[in-house]
Amino acid sequence: MAEAAAALGQFDFAGDDHVVPFQVEGLDVRGRAVQLGPMLDAILERHHYPAPVARLLAEVVVLTVLLGTSLKFDGKFTVQTKGDGPVDLLVADFSTPENVRAYARFDRALLDQAIASGETEPEQLLGKGVLAFTIDQGKFAQPYQGIVALDGTSLEDIAGVYFRQSEQIPTRVRLAAAELFDRDDAGKPRHRWRAGGLVAQFLPEAPERMRQPDLHGGDGDDGDRPHGEDDAWTEARSLVETIDADELTDPQVGTERLLFRLFHERGVRVFEPRAVFDRCSCSREKIGNVLKGFTAEEIEASQENGEISVTCEFCSTTYRFEAAELQPAE
């Protein structure tokens, strides 16, 4: 009797939109990997972003999911870029335990110029600025924010700098996004977005093994200071760097198969996958409470034909309020 094929979400086959935690005991490495499909496609297609913008936001969503699912408490993890390039804002947040939303802002004229001149690499579109990682544990704790510079390198490399500065944990991040053009079950042309990523961290029992080469000190630093990176981390990092972008996004590869390809000689273990969903945290009640804080003059200025309309930038849901219901009681 033939064995039943593994279904999406089962332990031995995570499939799309499921984060897979893993551990490589032989290298003292832990991490998470993911392939995003329908969830990501819904976020991007909702706004009809131009392809270069969609690709950038897809990488930010992957990074947010990989890091946000590591939270051990109820809260929100946000990744945000602010730069002087054509894509001046990217933001994605993960609300525990499983909800993701994202948004991009760009200057259409500057983006068209960049596309026409072939300047569509991520660092060219983002320009100079900052990448911020924010952890919010709610009203009973102060938010924590780590900031690193957008310095003309990839989001992968910038995320690695963040970990070195904030947690001092050797970390390697890989990110990729891809457009798929195929046909649906009825034979009609179909366009979809996919993305994938992996984060690997070196976490040996002896903290002194986590030493790394110093970050470059700027002008006058010859970069020749001695260092002694652990051999296990050198091997793990080298393996992660062999990943092709196609492997991170190809549904025929799959997360577990990729992890096996990378680490099987060292004994990789995968754990129960965690599903993530395209769900916005906006609501009529939340927006109404914000509007009720407006003065009578602000309400008057915001209304049109006796109505105030507010559209969520993340999910594009429009909420409408009668101006009368927002007036303070006399």
Side-chain angles (χ1 to χ4, degrees), residues 278-296:
D278 163 34
R279 289 178 184 157
C280 191
S281 58
C282 73
S283 69
R284 179 179 174 81
E285 180 182 6
K286 289 181 180 179
I287 293 175
N289 287 336
V290 172
L291 293 176
K292 287 176 182 177
F294 283 18
T295 65

Side-chain angles (χ1 to χ4, degrees), residues 45-46 62 66 71 86 93 123 140 166 200 209 220 247 261 266 288 299 305 310 327:
E45 290 301 319
R46 183 180 296 128
V62 173
L66 286 172
L71 297 181
D93 64 48
E123 57 271 20
F140 299 111
S166 64
R209 292 180 59 202
E247 291 182 288
R261 198 273 286 173
R266 289 294 195 164
I299 291 175
N305 298 323
V310 179
Q327 297 289 349

Side-chain angles (χ1 to χ4, degrees), residues 59-309:
E59 289 193 5
V60 171
V61 171
V62 173
L63 182 60
T64 303
V65 166
L66 286 172
L67 304 186
T69 50
S70 69
L71 297 181
K72 301 296 192 294
F73 50 81
D74 291 336
K76 180 181 289 186
F77 178 78
T78 303
V79 177
Q80 179 175 321
T81 71
K82 293 188 72 174
D84 60 5
V87 183
D88 66 318
L89 176 70
L90 297 169
V91 58
D93 64 48
F94 176 87
S95 297
T96 58
E98 59 193 12
N99 298 337
V100 183
R101 63 180 190 167
Y103 169 72
R105 186 177 67 199
F106 60 96
D107 184 301
R108 172 66 72 172
L110 291 178
L111 180 65
D112 289 344
Q113 291 176 17
I115 293 173
S117 60
E119 297 177 348
T120 57
E121 292 299 315
E123 57 271 20
Q124 294 170 319
L125 294 177
L126 294 172
K128 299 294 184 181
V130 296
L131 174 64
F133 299 82
T134 305
I135 298 173
D136 187 350
Q137 299 185 53
K139 60 183 179 180
F140 299 111
Q142 199 71 7
Y144 165 80
Q145 187 173 73
I147 297 176
V148 290
L150 293 172
D151 59 359
T153 57
S154 69
L155 288 175
E156 292 180 351
D157 293 335
I158 295 169
V161 171
Y162 162 74
F163 277 103
R164 291 189 61 179
Q165 291 180 345
S166 64
E167 300 184 24
Q168 281 122 37
I169 297 174
T171 302
R172 185 68 173 100
V173 178
R174 297 300 311 273
L175 306 169
E179 291 181 273
L180 265 62
F181 298 90
D182 57 10
R183 295 184 180 273
D184 61 20
D185 294 339
K188 296 181 179 179
R190 177 174 58 178
H191 168 265
R192 294 179 293 161
W193 281 100
R194 294 184 59 80
L198 179 147
V199 57
Q201 296 186 297
F202 185 49
L203 294 165
E205 291 185 7
E208 62 270 16
R209 292 180 59 202
M210 292 195 296
R211 62 188 182 276
Q212 299 180 86
D214 288 342
L215 292 171
H216 196 280
D219 292 342
D221 185 351
D222 59 14
D224 292 331
R225 281 171 286 181
H227 62 82
E229 186 176 79
D230 192 276
D231 289 344
W233 175 240
T234 299
E235 179 180 343
R237 180 171 48 78
S238 298
L239 290 171
V240 171
E241 288 171 357
T242 68
I243 301 173
D244 289 332
D246 290 347
E247 291 182 288
L248 289 171
T249 60
D250 188 345
Q252 300 303 314
V253 174
T255 302
E256 291 92 342
R257 183 179 294 180
L258 174 60
L259 291 172
F260 179 81
R261 198 273 286 173
L262 290 173
F263 300 119
H264 68 279
E265 292 184 355
R266 289 294 195 164
V268 61
R269 297 173 59 197
V270 296
F271 301 93
E272 193 72 29
R274 292 183 55 182
V276 291
F277 299 92
D278 163 34
R279 289 178 184 157
C280 191
S281 58
C282 73
S283 69
R284 179 179 174 81
E285 180 182 6
K286 289 181 180 179
I287 293 175
N289 287 336
V290 172
L291 293 176
K292 287 176 182 177
F294 283 18
T295 65
E297 291 77 11
E298 289 171 329
I299 291 175
E300 178 69 26
S302 301
Q303 66 177 288
E304 185 174 347
N305 298 323
E307 182 181 82
I308 296 177
S309 297

